[in-house]
Amino acid sequence: MKITTFNPAIVTGNARELVALFEALGFECRHTKTGINDAGITNYRMRYTGEDGRVFHVDIADAPVPQDITSIRMNVDNFEEAFEMLEKKGFRNAQGDRLTETGTSRSTMMVSPTGFPINLSQHIRDND
């Protein structure tokens, strides 16, 4: 398994306000994916490029949650392998037996025994 991206991710019920905050900090909304799952979740991919050329990302998910959840987004090239490795480390799928399948990605939030969440994702490409 290879990690292809690794960055902070925030799940919130106030995504518009949070997107505006990050835009004020100099981030640009690079990608938006809407209508995810039955809850109609929307994801925003934010990007900041510093004066030195360094690039930073933060993902914001607009979802019906009682309070914000800060996590790590980990995109991998082999979802099943990463999922199994995290399970062996005691992580559980926050969706029970469900996975989020959008046609272009497969994902779920994995939660450690102490409550630390990792948003595990794999992009599905035409050549996969």
Side-chain angles (χ1 to χ4, degrees):
M1 171 204 66
K2 180 176 133 186
I3 296 173
T4 57
T5 59
F6 194 86
N7 59 267
I10 304 166
V11 181
T12 182
N14 300 307
R16 291 182 195 268
E17 293 175 25
L18 203 51
V19 167
L21 169 65
F22 278 94
E23 286 175 337
L25 292 169
F27 283 76
E28 296 177 45
C29 188
R30 304 290 290 180
H31 179 71
T32 303
K33 186 184 280 190
T34 59
I36 301 168
N37 272 355
D38 300 334
I41 296 169
T42 300
N43 285 335
Y44 302 88
R45 178 85 168 144
M46 308 292 295
R47 178 182 171 152
Y48 175 84
T49 304
E51 291 180 16
D52 61 357
R54 291 178 53 178
V55 175
F56 301 94
H57 291 95
V58 65
D59 291 345
I60 301 169
D62 188 8
V65 292
Q67 66 186 46
D68 291 356
I69 301 168
T70 304
S71 64
I72 295 294
R73 173 183 182 227
M74 183 170 75
N75 196 51
V76 295
D77 68 342
N78 187 319
F79 184 89
E80 291 79 11
E81 184 180 351
F83 187 93
E84 184 178 308
M85 186 272 301
L86 289 172
E87 277 190 321
K88 285 180 181 176
K89 297 289 185 184
F91 282 73
R92 63 176 175 73
N93 182 352
Q95 298 187 87
D97 291 333
R98 271 184 60 182
L99 298 176
T100 300
E101 305 265 358
T102 67
T104 60
S105 66
R106 177 180 306 118
S107 65
T108 197
M109 181 180 282
M110 300 293 289
V111 181
S112 77
T114 60
F116 177 79
I118 294 178
N119 293 338
L120 179 62
S121 178
Q122 178 184 2
H123 283 101
I124 299 166
R125 304 205 190 324
D126 290 338
N127 59 359
D128 283 350

